[in-house]
Amino acid sequence: MVDSMRILVPRDLLEATIDLLRKDMFALHELGRKQHLEILFQLYILSGFYPSDPPLQGWEVATADIEPIASAEYADIWKGMFLGRQKVALKRIIRRRDDDLKGAVQMSSLPAGYADKWKGMFLGRQKGTITGSLKRDDDLKDAVQRVNIGRHLWNGLRHPNILPTIGLVTDGIDIGPCLISPWMDCGDLLEYLHHHADVPCLPLIGQIADGLEYLHTYEPPIVHGGLKGDTIFISSTGNAFIGDFRLLQTFSDIEQSRGSMSSSWRTPGNPRWMAPELLLDDTAESRSLSSDVFAFGRVIHECFTRRDPWAGFSSARIIFVVSRGELPPRPLSEDVISRGLDDNMWRLMEHCWNLNPSERPTIQHIARHLRPAIQSPRRKFQYFYYASEYLCALFDAEVMNSILSETQHH
């Protein structure tokens, strides 16, 4: 019935009805609101979208616990209910210091500004300033503004591997302003893999690539800016969803604001997943499609090893070795090899981590190579990097003909 109603009722009419009902509910007493909650929830199901404005209110979202159930790099996370019917995650943006960045080895300290900085060498040759995490109240305010921009942008995205956003709640909730998204029963990527040791890596990697390809081929292209295992969530059915829209921005917006945005937004996140060009404050490099690809390579590393990249290294040490051009050592344990980390997959990871951003493959190129092995389990994953798009097209045609031939014979 729901599917047929979606066909019969125009989306714009449903959106207008939801907006009117929410405005009426703002003025109603609590008892009057409860009578309308079921209607509002069913309208969300029919329309397939969530409200963007005005922000959600406390009567629409409630926390299930007094204390957060988890803490991430920039947020504390609560479990809650949306309209009393749908499990959701509430993320409260916070400011957190990264104490690992205080004592960078073999680097001389510079006078403190609004971020921790060290003087170092890029690839052992180029002098630069390496920047730590955001520290100042102005940056926290900037963070909230960026979250709001990302939220509006994310609201328009529709893809099977992109986590939907429900909205931002600002008033009527004790824990303060929070971002709301659907609850993922299996947690983030590493949490899921730790509890499901036999899950094959390749399908998950393919789903993450598909989601990132959707962002990068959106019009205009979208840079995620914070891709890593704990920003990828797994549903109860084992499907991967890219989430965390805190740093989301269109590529055109990044180009227009280059040089004007704060350092904490040019160089966000954790150095375990950051491209080397983002670690040098003096270069003023912004997050980019190619830095997303670099992070994707690190995510592949997480899938096979079940550990963070550079496990056992402090943030300061990671900054030092990455700025010198070093790569994580190739894992050679039997467990990792049995999960599929062979020469082809390692070659893909190394190309993602190319020190020159312009020489990294596009996520479209990567997804093209992943799909044949995912669609036809009898095929082994193969990776070739062609600088020529013509050769890429020839490769795609050859692979598709091979898959069709296999299908016909079976």
Side-chain angles (χ1 to χ4, degrees):
M1 178 177 178
V2 170
D3 290 338
S4 62
M5 287 291 288
R6 283 192 183 183
I7 296 173
L8 294 174
V9 182
R11 178 187 169 93
D12 56 351
L13 179 59
L14 284 170
E15 292 182 3
T17 304
I18 289 173
D19 289 342
L20 287 172
L21 184 57
R22 287 189 75 226
K23 288 177 181 178
D24 287 343
M25 292 174 74
F26 273 86
L28 290 175
H29 187 270
E30 183 177 353
L31 292 176
R33 287 174 184 159
K34 287 183 178 179
Q35 298 174 4
H36 292 75
L37 287 179
E38 180 62 32
I39 298 174
L40 186 59
F41 186 69
Q42 291 301 324
L43 286 173
Y44 286 137
I45 294 176
L46 291 173
S47 65
F49 89 104
Y50 293 104
S52 57
D53 286 304
L56 296 172
Q57 301 296 302
W59 51 267
E60 294 176 283
V61 182
T63 55
D65 303 292
I66 298 176
E67 297 294 329
I69 63 168
S71 293
E73 188 178 354
Y74 287 97
D76 286 333
I77 303 167
W78 278 261
K79 189 175 184 179
M81 296 294 289
F82 175 58
L83 300 180
R85 289 156 179 80
Q86 180 180 353
K87 288 190 294 185
V88 294
L90 296 86
K91 290 186 177 182
R92 184 185 67 180
I93 303 301
I94 59 175
R95 182 179 65 165
R96 201 189 304 279
R97 293 183 66 93
D98 185 349
D99 292 333
D100 282 343
L101 295 175
K102 288 182 178 178
V105 295
Q106 298 181 10
M107 296 181 186
S108 58
S109 177
L110 291 175
Y114 66 84
D116 291 339
K117 297 183 178 181
W118 302 271
K119 184 180 291 183
M121 298 294 290
F122 181 55
L123 309 184
R125 294 182 295 274
Q126 178 184 345
K127 291 183 179 179
T129 305
I130 298 174
T131 306
S133 53
L134 67 135
K135 300 290 187 287
R136 202 172 54 183
D137 289 338
D138 289 347
D139 286 331
L140 184 60
K141 184 177 180 180
D142 188 18
V144 174
Q145 292 174 343
R146 291 286 175 186
V147 164
N148 214 24
I149 292 171
R151 175 179 66 89
H152 283 286
L153 183 57
W154 203 278
N155 259 336
L157 304 181
R158 299 288 186 276
H159 188 273
N161 301 115
I162 299 294
L163 184 68
T165 175
I166 294 177
L168 174 70
V169 59
T170 56
D171 297 317
I173 187 166
D174 293 338
I175 61 176
C178 289
L179 299 164
I180 314 298
S181 59
W183 182 261
M184 293 285 107
D185 288 315
C186 292
D188 64 35
L189 180 64
L190 279 188
E191 183 180 356
Y192 175 69
L193 291 174
H194 284 154
H195 289 92
H196 300 80
D198 297 331
V199 169
C201 294
L202 195 59
L204 282 174
I205 293 170
Q207 290 178 10
I208 298 165
D210 287 346
L212 191 59
E213 182 183 27
Y214 172 77
L215 295 179
H216 285 194
T217 57
Y218 199 77
E219 188 54 47
I222 294 173
V223 175
H224 184 278
L227 190 70
K228 50 195 175 82
D230 64 7
T231 65
I232 298 164
F233 304 94
I234 312 298
S235 69
S236 58
T237 57
N239 291 319
F241 291 80
I242 296 177
D244 192 353
F245 40 83
R246 173 177 52 86
L247 299 173
L248 194 73
Q249 198 172 15
T250 65
F251 183 71
S252 59
D253 286 343
I254 290 176
E255 288 297 302
Q256 291 173 10
S257 59
R258 186 180 293 274
S260 63
M261 66 176 66
S262 69
S263 174
S264 61
W265 288 103
R266 286 200 310 271
T267 58
N270 191 308
R272 297 180 189 276
W273 291 266
M274 289 170 65
E277 67 270 14
L278 298 181
L279 296 175
L280 285 171
D281 184 61
D282 289 352
T283 66
E285 287 293 330
S286 300
R287 294 168 290 115
S288 65
L289 302 180
S290 61
S291 66
D292 272 356
V293 168
F294 184 98
F296 176 76
R298 293 286 205 251
V299 170
I300 297 177
H301 189 280
E302 289 182 85
C303 284
F304 286 110
T305 63
R306 273 41 172 184
R307 304 176 71 188
D308 289 343
W310 297 108
F313 282 55
S314 68
S315 294
R317 187 179 176 193
I318 293 169
I319 291 173
F320 180 68
V321 297
V322 171
S323 66
R324 292 177 56 190
E326 296 184 25
L327 302 180
R330 178 173 177 173
L332 296 174
S333 69
E334 290 184 8
D335 286 344
V336 173
I337 294 173
S338 68
R339 294 173 190 139
L341 183 50
D342 57 13
D343 290 343
N344 279 285
M345 188 61 71
W346 184 251
R347 188 182 305 119
L348 166 59
M349 295 160 69
E350 286 184 316
H351 279 137
C352 290
W353 300 334
N354 195 300
L355 300 176
N356 187 340
S358 64
E359 294 183 7
R360 293 172 198 152
T362 64
I363 193 61
Q364 299 94 302
H365 178 86
I366 295 170
R368 280 197 295 258
H369 282 74
L370 289 170
R371 286 184 188 120
I374 295 171
Q375 294 171 357
S376 178
R378 295 172 60 90
R379 293 185 63 88
K380 186 178 179 181
F381 171 69
Q382 292 181 297
Y383 180 74
F384 305 97
Y385 182 58
Y386 296 118
S388 166
E389 287 299 320
Y390 173 72
L391 290 177
C392 285
L394 288 179
F395 171 82
D396 293 342
E398 180 182 351
V399 166
M400 290 309 299
N401 288 335
S402 178
I403 292 175
L404 289 173
S405 176
E406 288 180 12
T407 303
Q408 291 169 357
H409 282 87
H410 293 283

